[in-house]
Amino acid sequence: VQDVASSQDPGSGGEEGSRRRWKEEISQILREIQAPLSPLLLRLCHWLLPKLLTRLFLGVQLHRGQLEMVLRAARTPEVPLVFLCSHRSQVDGPLLSFILLSQGIGVPRVAVSARTSPRLRSLLQRLGGIFLPSGMAQTWSDRDEGLPGAVLDVYVQEVLRSRQPLVLFLEEPPAALQLTDPARRWLLRLLRALRDGAVPDVLVVPVGIAYDVAP
């Protein structure tokens, strides 16, 4: 991050002023990516979500054998879990988060589409949602990601080091079976974290969610 900031620094305002300006910009990028988790909101949603699910669906089926494999993987020391999931509806994120939390795996960080209102974005961030920084929204070249890309690299490395479960959706509903640009950017961060030795290994868990009728 320091290398990228230095390469973009025009050199005006003095060294101290430049350092302060870059620190503020980096903090702003981090605030766009995530917000502190709210234990109160998490408990409230953990109580409300089952009531919502009973209104949306006749039933929710969970493959016990696959769940046992996930729980076994979660006990692997020093190895973070990354869930790669197809995206069938906007219910996928809350549903998967609820299952992981209820099984004692922890509150996952869930990559969310940028196409959300500011209020909904603020709420989802308090529940574990993470977003690409706005500076990357209009950038298509990895070489032009600049400071937002560098901060995102470090952020993903810290999430993996702290063994927070990470959920990445590979497409946007309605699912087109095509890797989206945001998904590609998140996956690129995983590859860089492994290449740079930020973590020794990552357990990738494929997740499938299907609906008789998509909500």
Side-chain angles (χ1 to χ4, degrees):
V1 172
Q2 290 177 341
D3 291 342
V4 174
S6 299
S7 67
Q8 297 181 359
D9 193 349
S12 60
E15 182 178 350
E16 184 64 29
S18 177
R19 188 182 298 113
R20 188 184 306 111
R21 178 170 57 84
W22 284 117
K23 186 175 181 179
E24 291 174 355
E25 185 167 345
I26 290 168
S27 297
Q28 175 59 34
I29 294 171
L30 286 172
R31 285 193 294 270
E32 291 181 351
I33 296 174
Q34 75 159 47
L37 293 174
S38 171
L40 178 61
L41 279 177
L42 285 170
R43 287 195 295 268
L44 179 62
C45 288
H46 198 264
W47 176 74
L48 283 176
L49 194 57
K51 302 180 184 302
L52 174 64
L53 294 177
T54 58
R55 291 182 175 273
L56 285 177
F57 309 118
L58 294 177
V60 177
Q61 297 180 352
L62 187 63
H63 195 293
R64 299 299 303 181
Q66 293 178 354
L67 179 60
E68 290 175 2
M69 294 177 63
V70 172
L71 293 174
R72 193 181 312 128
R75 292 191 292 268
T76 305
E78 305 303 324
V79 180
L81 290 176
V82 177
F83 297 88
L84 298 183
C85 186
S86 57
H87 208 178
R88 303 301 180 184
S89 84
Q90 300 297 343
V91 183
D92 295 349
L95 179 60
L96 187 54
S97 297
F98 173 75
I99 292 173
L100 296 178
L101 183 59
S102 64
Q103 297 300 316
I105 295 177
V107 181
R109 292 292 182 177
V110 183
V112 183
S113 170
R115 296 195 299 269
T116 55
S117 66
R119 289 185 178 181
L120 180 58
R121 178 174 179 141
S122 177
L123 174 63
L124 293 177
Q125 283 182 317
R126 297 287 183 176
L127 297 172
I130 54 176
F131 296 79
L132 290 174
S134 58
M136 300 176 63
Q138 304 299 325
T139 303
W140 292 90
S141 173
D142 297 330
R143 293 171 294 182
D144 298 332
E145 289 179 342
L147 190 60
V151 174
L152 187 62
D153 278 332
V154 176
Y155 171 79
V156 170
Q157 291 179 15
E158 290 302 317
V159 168
L160 296 176
R161 284 196 191 101
S162 60
R163 296 194 65 201
Q164 298 179 70
L166 183 61
V167 178
L168 303 180
F169 290 107
L170 303 181
E171 61 225 0
E172 289 297 328
L177 299 180
Q178 182 176 358
L179 190 66
T180 63
D181 184 66
R184 182 180 65 83
R185 294 187 183 281
W186 287 110
L187 292 173
L188 178 62
R189 266 70 213 178
L190 292 180
L191 293 176
R192 287 179 179 173
L194 289 170
R195 181 198 64 189
D196 297 340
V199 288
D201 201 358
V202 170
L203 283 174
V204 176
V205 182
V207 176
I209 298 178
Y211 303 93
D212 288 337
V213 178

